[in-house]
Amino acid sequence: LQSCLHSTRREAKPFKSPKPFLQTMPKRKDKKNRRRPEPESSSRGESETASVASEMSDLWIANEASMEDIVKDLIEGLQEKRSATRMKALKKLCKLLQTKFAPEVLEGSLLTIQSVITNGLRSKDVKEAVLACQVLGLLSITFGLDLPNSFSDLLKVLHTIAADHTKNAAFRGAAFRTLAMLCFVSIEDPFAAGEVMKLSEAQFKSKEPGVTEGATSAWTLIASTMGSKVLANQHMLSAGQKLLIALDGKDADTKQNAGRALAMLCEACDEVEASMDSKLKEDIERLMDNIVDKLSDLATTSDKSQNKKEKARQRASFREFLQSVESGSGAVESFIISSNDITIEGWVKVTQFGEIRRWLGIGLQTHMKENPLLGDIFKFSLQYLSRGEEKEAREDKIQFAKMYSRVKKEKYQKVRMRKTQAMVRTEEDL
């Protein structure tokens, strides 16, 4: 057997392994030393001009001169014929309006932006139309009552779009929210606001979730400006029944808007209860009993199609609505801006703050600091601390965090010691 094995080994040819794939490839240069090839001199001017819009996201922190250049390049992009270029410019203009408060820079370009918005609202591309609505709403927050009167002509265009059942649902919902924001901060026309409320209330029964969400949001924001007496005497019974039916829908955002609107209506009724007619008071009490029953159901149950996060959000929101309606306590919203504790109380102001926060997104802090319109709406003024006071406040926060961490650690050690002792006793008993 050994001789056979010896012969096979002797006859076998030595195996030559092929070169690995990585060895056949040329050596890679060091990443640190690699550089991208520069464009040719003939196309450098065009590439620099085209790269200005793509580098917009890196230029939000800039001085006044660079901000003017950014706006100038944005206007050029908005006037391009290609829809993709216009869409990019609209998105960047939205981001600029959210993250920066610079009305003096944009003031000279408002008429051009208005024509772009008008063309965008007439566009067949739904995304471009929705972006045009968003730009218009953010402009109204930035300029407030200083927005030129020519923008009021867009109310009719938006009203027509919101009432048109052949339009896209997302576009109609955006039109409703933009109409409400314009009536809230930029246009002092009670008749126009009333017409938007009527149109919104008529869409509570729509089968399109985007339309009902936009309609309930618009109605709630405009209703927050009407006053408690008007809400209780004119809108509680008519709109309350429709909002109660809207709670039976499947869209979570529509339910949230309807619940918030009902909580605001009930708060208004509590404030003017003493001056109500006896018959009106009986009807409202009967309706409020139905509202309490529906809110209690939504505070404990949820839809099977919702995920855990949506279920928890719905239950928490409707528990807050239910508590407010039952006890008569208003909503409270607290936040901190530049070491200033600000508290907003009542469903009217909390609703308005929620809608402003939805429009501004990440730029809420910037506008709360610099936009005087928001200070007038929510009635607050910021007191800026000196460097020494800021340092003391920062040190106090650090000390509090250390103390909290130490207490939490001691509590964890006690719990662990208790569990260990319980295990030792169990082993001794055994």
Side-chain angles (χ1 to χ4, degrees):
L1 181 61
Q2 289 180 357
S3 62
C4 292
L5 291 173
H6 182 69
S7 62
T8 55
R9 287 177 184 170
R10 206 170 35 185
E11 292 173 0
K13 294 181 180 180
F15 176 75
K16 294 183 180 181
S17 61
K19 289 184 178 182
F21 176 73
L22 293 176
Q23 292 182 5
T24 61
M25 297 291 292
K27 291 184 179 181
R28 297 178 64 183
K29 296 180 181 180
D30 189 5
K31 290 184 177 180
K32 295 181 180 179
N33 297 327
R34 283 192 298 172
R35 294 181 180 178
R36 294 182 179 180
E38 295 184 359
E40 298 179 0
S41 58
S42 60
S43 61
R44 181 173 297 179
E46 296 178 0
S47 62
E48 288 179 354
T49 305
S51 64
V52 173
S54 63
E55 295 174 357
M56 282 289 301
S57 58
D58 300 328
L59 297 174
W60 299 120
I61 303 174
N63 53 26
E64 289 296 326
S66 61
M67 183 68 72
E68 291 176 356
D69 295 338
I70 289 171
V71 172
K72 183 179 178 181
D73 293 325
L74 273 178
I75 297 300
E76 291 179 359
L78 292 172
Q79 294 175 330
E80 288 288 333
K81 292 183 179 181
R82 291 183 60 189
S83 61
T85 308
R86 291 198 308 271
M87 290 274 289
K88 288 181 181 179
L90 282 170
K91 289 179 181 178
K92 287 168 183 175
L93 181 57
C94 287
K95 188 175 180 181
L96 177 65
L97 290 169
Q98 285 177 331
T99 56
K100 288 291 182 181
F101 178 71
E104 63 281 353
V105 180
L106 293 165
E107 190 174 4
S109 307
L110 281 178
L111 294 179
T112 305
I113 296 175
Q114 180 185 352
S115 64
V116 171
I117 292 172
T118 306
N119 295 331
L121 294 175
R122 295 170 181 171
S123 175
K124 294 181 180 180
D125 190 349
V126 176
K127 293 182 180 179
E128 185 177 357
V130 172
L131 282 172
C133 290
Q134 189 175 359
V135 169
L136 181 56
L138 291 170
L139 280 174
S140 65
I141 295 174
T142 300
F143 287 91
L145 293 174
D146 295 332
L147 197 68
N149 295 329
S150 58
F151 277 82
S152 60
D153 298 336
L154 295 174
L155 278 176
K156 297 179 181 179
V157 180
L158 290 170
H159 198 282
T160 304
I161 293 167
D164 190 353
H165 294 274
T166 62
K167 296 291 184 180
N168 181 272
F171 185 20
R172 293 179 65 196
F176 272 115
R177 290 190 295 271
T178 308
L179 276 170
M181 186 54 64
L182 283 171
C183 294
F184 177 52
V185 295
S186 295
I187 298 174
E188 292 181 318
D189 189 355
F191 178 76
E195 290 296 317
V196 175
M197 283 189 72
K198 290 179 182 178
L199 180 61
S200 302
E201 190 174 336
Q203 299 300 321
F204 286 172
K205 297 180 181 180
S206 175
K207 296 181 181 180
E208 297 287 345
V211 177
T212 54
E213 192 277 329
T216 50
S217 175
W219 189 93
T220 308
L221 180 61
I222 297 177
S224 66
T225 64
M226 294 294 174
S228 300
K229 197 169 185 180
V230 175
L231 290 178
N233 295 329
Q234 299 181 14
H235 297 287
M236 180 61 182
L237 293 178
S238 60
Q241 294 286 352
K242 296 177 182 178
L243 289 168
L244 198 60
I245 296 172
L247 291 176
D248 294 328
K250 294 183 179 181
D251 186 58
D253 293 330
T254 302
K255 289 182 179 180
Q256 294 278 336
N257 295 337
R260 193 177 296 107
L262 287 171
M264 184 176 64
L265 287 171
C266 293
E267 182 184 55
C269 292
D270 292 337
E271 291 177 359
V272 297
E273 183 180 3
S275 61
M276 276 186 189
D277 181 62
S278 58
K279 185 178 179 181
L280 178 62
K281 188 185 294 186
E282 291 177 1
D283 295 337
I284 289 177
E285 288 178 355
R286 197 178 301 111
L287 177 61
M288 289 180 70
D289 292 338
N290 296 333
I291 292 172
V292 169
D293 294 338
K294 189 62 181 178
L295 292 178
S296 60
D297 291 341
L298 292 171
T300 54
T301 59
S302 57
D303 193 359
K304 293 182 180 179
S305 62
Q306 294 176 329
N307 55 35
K308 290 184 178 180
K309 188 176 181 180
E310 291 175 348
K311 290 178 182 178
R313 178 192 168 202
Q314 175 181 314
R315 289 171 182 171
S317 299
F318 282 96
R319 278 197 297 267
E320 184 181 6
F321 300 152
L322 179 62
Q323 182 182 1
S324 176
V325 175
E326 286 183 332
S327 63
S329 59
V332 179
E333 187 86 27
S334 300
F335 52 94
I336 298 174
I337 298 177
S338 299
S339 302
N340 291 267
D341 295 327
I342 298 173
T343 303
I344 297 174
E345 298 180 352
W347 280 111
V348 168
K349 292 299 178 184
V350 169
T351 299
Q352 295 171 356
F353 178 73
E355 193 65 22
I356 292 288
R357 177 171 53 191
R358 177 179 179 179
W359 277 91
L360 295 176
I362 59 173
L364 177 65
Q365 288 274 339
T366 301
H367 278 262
M368 294 294 280
K369 291 177 185 177
E370 302 176 9
N371 194 339
L373 173 68
L374 302 186
D376 295 338
I377 292 174
F378 302 113
K379 294 180 172 39
F380 70 89
S381 58
L382 300 179
Q383 296 179 355
Y384 295 96
L385 303 177
S386 62
R387 290 187 177 180
E389 292 173 341
E390 285 184 358
K391 187 176 181 181
E392 291 178 2
R394 197 180 303 113
E395 290 176 354
D396 291 341
K397 288 181 180 179
I398 294 172
Q399 292 296 330
F400 178 78
K402 289 181 178 179
M403 183 182 67
Y404 178 75
S405 177
R406 185 171 60 253
V407 170
K408 191 175 180 180
K409 187 175 181 180
E410 292 175 356
K411 185 178 179 181
Y412 173 73
Q413 289 176 350
K414 288 180 181 179
V415 172
R416 190 174 180 181
M417 183 76 69
R418 198 180 301 117
K419 288 182 179 180
T420 305
Q421 292 175 355
M423 291 174 64
V424 170
R425 290 196 206 100
T426 304
E427 290 177 357
E428 290 177 353
D429 294 339
L430 293 175

mmCIF file of all heavy atoms in Angstrom, residues 362-380:
data_model
loop_
_atom_site.group_PDB
_atom_site.id
_atom_site.type_symbol
_atom_site.label_atom_id
_atom_site.label_comp_id
_atom_site.label_asym_id
_atom_site.label_seq_id
_atom_site.Cartn_x
_atom_site.Cartn_y
_atom_site.Cartn_z
ATOM 1 N N ILE A 362 -37.569 72.206 10.549
ATOM 2 C CA ILE A 362 -36.309 72.411 11.270
ATOM 3 C C ILE A 362 -35.994 73.887 11.478
ATOM 4 O O ILE A 362 -35.126 74.219 12.293
ATOM 5 C CB ILE A 362 -35.150 71.744 10.503
ATOM 6 C CG1 ILE A 362 -35.027 72.334 9.096
ATOM 7 C CG2 ILE A 362 -35.324 70.239 10.446
ATOM 8 C CD1 ILE A 362 -33.810 71.835 8.345
ATOM 9 N N GLY A 363 -36.674 74.777 10.781
ATOM 10 C CA GLY A 363 -36.409 76.203 10.934
ATOM 11 C C GLY A 363 -37.268 76.895 11.974
ATOM 12 O O GLY A 363 -37.282 78.130 12.036
ATOM 13 N N LEU A 364 -37.969 76.117 12.807
ATOM 14 C CA LEU A 364 -38.862 76.727 13.801
ATOM 15 C C LEU A 364 -38.088 77.599 14.785
ATOM 16 O O LEU A 364 -38.497 78.726 15.098
ATOM 17 C CB LEU A 364 -39.625 75.631 14.544
ATOM 18 C CG LEU A 364 -40.552 76.100 15.658
ATOM 19 C CD1 LEU A 364 -41.700 76.935 15.104
ATOM 20 C CD2 LEU A 364 -41.100 74.914 16.451
ATOM 21 N N GLN A 365 -36.957 77.094 15.286
ATOM 22 C CA GLN A 365 -36.179 77.853 16.263
ATOM 23 C C GLN A 365 -35.695 79.179 15.665
ATOM 24 O O GLN A 365 -35.750 80.218 16.324
ATOM 25 C CB GLN A 365 -34.981 77.012 16.717
ATOM 26 C CG GLN A 365 -35.336 75.842 17.610
ATOM 27 C CD GLN A 365 -35.431 76.233 19.067
ATOM 28 O OE1 GLN A 365 -34.881 77.261 19.484
ATOM 29 N NE2 GLN A 365 -36.132 75.449 19.855
ATOM 30 N N THR A 366 -35.242 79.134 14.426
ATOM 31 C CA THR A 366 -34.748 80.360 13.777
ATOM 32 C C THR A 366 -35.853 81.401 13.654
ATOM 33 O O THR A 366 -35.647 82.587 13.967
ATOM 34 C CB THR A 366 -34.194 80.025 12.382
ATOM 35 O OG1 THR A 366 -33.136 79.072 12.515
ATOM 36 C CG2 THR A 366 -33.672 81.270 11.690
ATOM 37 N N HIS A 367 -37.027 80.989 13.224
ATOM 38 C CA HIS A 367 -38.124 81.949 13.060
ATOM 39 C C HIS A 367 -38.649 82.432 14.405
ATOM 40 O O HIS A 367 -39.055 83.592 14.533
ATOM 41 C CB HIS A 367 -39.248 81.311 12.245
ATOM 42 C CG HIS A 367 -39.012 81.356 10.769
ATOM 43 N ND1 HIS A 367 -39.558 82.314 9.950
ATOM 44 C CD2 HIS A 367 -38.277 80.559 9.955
ATOM 45 C CE1 HIS A 367 -39.183 82.113 8.695
ATOM 46 N NE2 HIS A 367 -38.402 81.054 8.674
ATOM 47 N N MET A 368 -38.663 81.564 15.404
ATOM 48 C CA MET A 368 -39.113 82.000 16.726
ATOM 49 C C MET A 368 -38.172 83.053 17.308
ATOM 50 O O MET A 368 -38.584 83.923 18.073
ATOM 51 C CB MET A 368 -39.210 80.809 17.671
ATOM 52 C CG MET A 368 -40.289 79.796 17.293
ATOM 53 S SD MET A 368 -41.984 80.418 17.414
ATOM 54 C CE MET A 368 -42.280 80.286 19.153
ATOM 55 N N LYS A 369 -36.895 82.978 16.945
ATOM 56 C CA LYS A 369 -35.932 83.966 17.436
ATOM 57 C C LYS A 369 -36.004 85.276 16.659
ATOM 58 O O LYS A 369 -35.909 86.356 17.245
ATOM 59 C CB LYS A 369 -34.505 83.396 17.321
ATOM 60 C CG LYS A 369 -34.193 82.259 18.260
ATOM 61 C CD LYS A 369 -32.781 81.758 17.991
ATOM 62 C CE LYS A 369 -32.460 80.531 18.819
ATOM 63 N NZ LYS A 369 -31.103 79.995 18.514
ATOM 64 N N GLU A 370 -36.149 85.174 15.334
ATOM 65 C CA GLU A 370 -35.952 86.348 14.477
ATOM 66 C C GLU A 370 -37.226 86.905 13.858
ATOM 67 O O GLU A 370 -37.238 88.066 13.451
ATOM 68 C CB GLU A 370 -34.965 85.992 13.352
ATOM 69 C CG GLU A 370 -33.613 85.508 13.855
ATOM 70 C CD GLU A 370 -32.688 85.075 12.727
ATOM 71 O OE1 GLU A 370 -33.053 85.313 11.554
ATOM 72 O OE2 GLU A 370 -31.615 84.514 13.017
ATOM 73 N N ASN A 371 -38.270 86.116 13.744
ATOM 74 C CA ASN A 371 -39.490 86.562 13.070
ATOM 75 C C ASN A 371 -40.412 87.250 14.081
ATOM 76 O O ASN A 371 -40.968 86.590 14.973
ATOM 77 C CB ASN A 371 -40.204 85.360 12.442
ATOM 78 C CG ASN A 371 -41.284 85.783 11.453
ATOM 79 O OD1 ASN A 371 -41.770 86.906 11.493
ATOM 80 N ND2 ASN A 371 -41.663 84.885 10.567
ATOM 81 N N PRO A 372 -40.612 88.560 13.989
ATOM 82 C CA PRO A 372 -41.468 89.252 14.967
ATOM 83 C C PRO A 372 -42.934 88.842 14.863
ATOM 84 O O PRO A 372 -43.690 89.009 15.824
ATOM 85 C CB PRO A 372 -41.273 90.733 14.625
ATOM 86 C CG PRO A 372 -40.846 90.743 13.194
ATOM 87 C CD PRO A 372 -40.064 89.486 12.986
ATOM 88 N N LEU A 373 -43.351 88.316 13.714
ATOM 89 C CA LEU A 373 -44.744 87.899 13.552
ATOM 90 C C LEU A 373 -45.104 86.811 14.553
ATOM 91 O O LEU A 373 -46.185 86.848 15.156
ATOM 92 C CB LEU A 373 -44.966 87.398 12.116
ATOM 93 C CG LEU A 373 -46.332 86.765 11.822
ATOM 94 C CD1 LEU A 373 -47.429 87.812 11.897
ATOM 95 C CD2 LEU A 373 -46.319 86.107 10.442
ATOM 96 N N LEU A 374 -44.216 85.850 14.765
ATOM 97 C CA LEU A 374 -44.501 84.758 15.695
ATOM 98 C C LEU A 374 -44.529 85.257 17.131
ATOM 99 O O LEU A 374 -45.310 84.756 17.960
ATOM 100 C CB LEU A 374 -43.459 83.651 15.528
ATOM 101 C CG LEU A 374 -43.347 83.046 14.122
ATOM 102 C CD1 LEU A 374 -42.397 81.866 14.129
ATOM 103 C CD2 LEU A 374 -44.705 82.625 13.595
ATOM 104 N N GLY A 375 -43.690 86.235 17.438
ATOM 105 C CA GLY A 375 -43.739 86.820 18.778
ATOM 106 C C GLY A 375 -45.058 87.522 19.038
ATOM 107 O O GLY A 375 -45.601 87.466 20.159
ATOM 108 N N ASP A 376 -45.624 88.177 18.011
ATOM 109 C CA ASP A 376 -46.924 88.839 18.163
ATOM 110 C C ASP A 376 -48.067 87.822 18.280
ATOM 111 O O ASP A 376 -49.018 88.045 19.033
ATOM 112 C CB ASP A 376 -47.177 89.762 16.972
ATOM 113 C CG ASP A 376 -46.189 90.914 16.915
ATOM 114 O OD1 ASP A 376 -45.601 91.240 17.971
ATOM 115 O OD2 ASP A 376 -45.971 91.469 15.821
ATOM 116 N N ILE A 377 -47.964 86.711 17.538
ATOM 117 C CA ILE A 377 -49.042 85.716 17.579
ATOM 118 C C ILE A 377 -49.085 85.009 18.924
ATOM 119 O O ILE A 377 -50.145 84.882 19.551
ATOM 120 C CB ILE A 377 -48.854 84.697 16.434
ATOM 121 C CG1 ILE A 377 -49.077 85.360 15.080
ATOM 122 C CG2 ILE A 377 -49.829 83.527 16.607
ATOM 123 C CD1 ILE A 377 -48.763 84.469 13.895
ATOM 124 N N PHE A 378 -47.916 84.566 19.399
ATOM 125 C CA PHE A 378 -47.874 83.771 20.630
ATOM 126 C C PHE A 378 -47.517 84.583 21.861
ATOM 127 O O PHE A 378 -47.370 84.029 22.948
ATOM 128 C CB PHE A 378 -46.876 82.616 20.449
ATOM 129 C CG PHE A 378 -47.208 81.730 19.290
ATOM 130 C CD1 PHE A 378 -46.379 81.668 18.181
ATOM 131 C CD2 PHE A 378 -48.364 80.971 19.285
ATOM 132 C CE1 PHE A 378 -46.689 80.862 17.096
ATOM 133 C CE2 PHE A 378 -48.685 80.170 18.209
ATOM 134 C CZ PHE A 378 -47.846 80.107 17.112
ATOM 135 N N LYS A 379 -47.328 85.905 21.669
ATOM 136 C CA LYS A 379 -47.167 86.832 22.778
ATOM 137 C C LYS A 379 -46.018 86.418 23.714
ATOM 138 O O LYS A 379 -46.217 86.108 24.887
ATOM 139 C CB LYS A 379 -48.478 86.955 23.566
ATOM 140 C CG LYS A 379 -49.581 87.599 22.746
ATOM 141 C CD LYS A 379 -50.870 87.709 23.534
ATOM 142 C CE LYS A 379 -51.924 88.511 22.804
ATOM 143 N NZ LYS A 379 -52.023 88.316 21.361
ATOM 144 N N PHE A 380 -44.825 86.436 23.185
ATOM 145 C CA PHE A 380 -43.640 86.168 23.991
ATOM 146 C C PHE A 380 -42.524 87.085 23.519
ATOM 147 O O PHE A 380 -42.523 87.588 22.396
ATOM 148 C CB PHE A 380 -43.196 84.699 23.870
ATOM 149 C CG PHE A 380 -42.625 84.329 22.539
ATOM 150 C CD1 PHE A 380 -41.265 84.461 22.271
ATOM 151 C CD2 PHE A 380 -43.443 83.866 21.520
ATOM 152 C CE1 PHE A 380 -40.748 84.125 21.040
ATOM 153 C CE2 PHE A 380 -42.929 83.519 20.278
ATOM 154 C CZ PHE A 380 -41.580 83.660 20.044
#
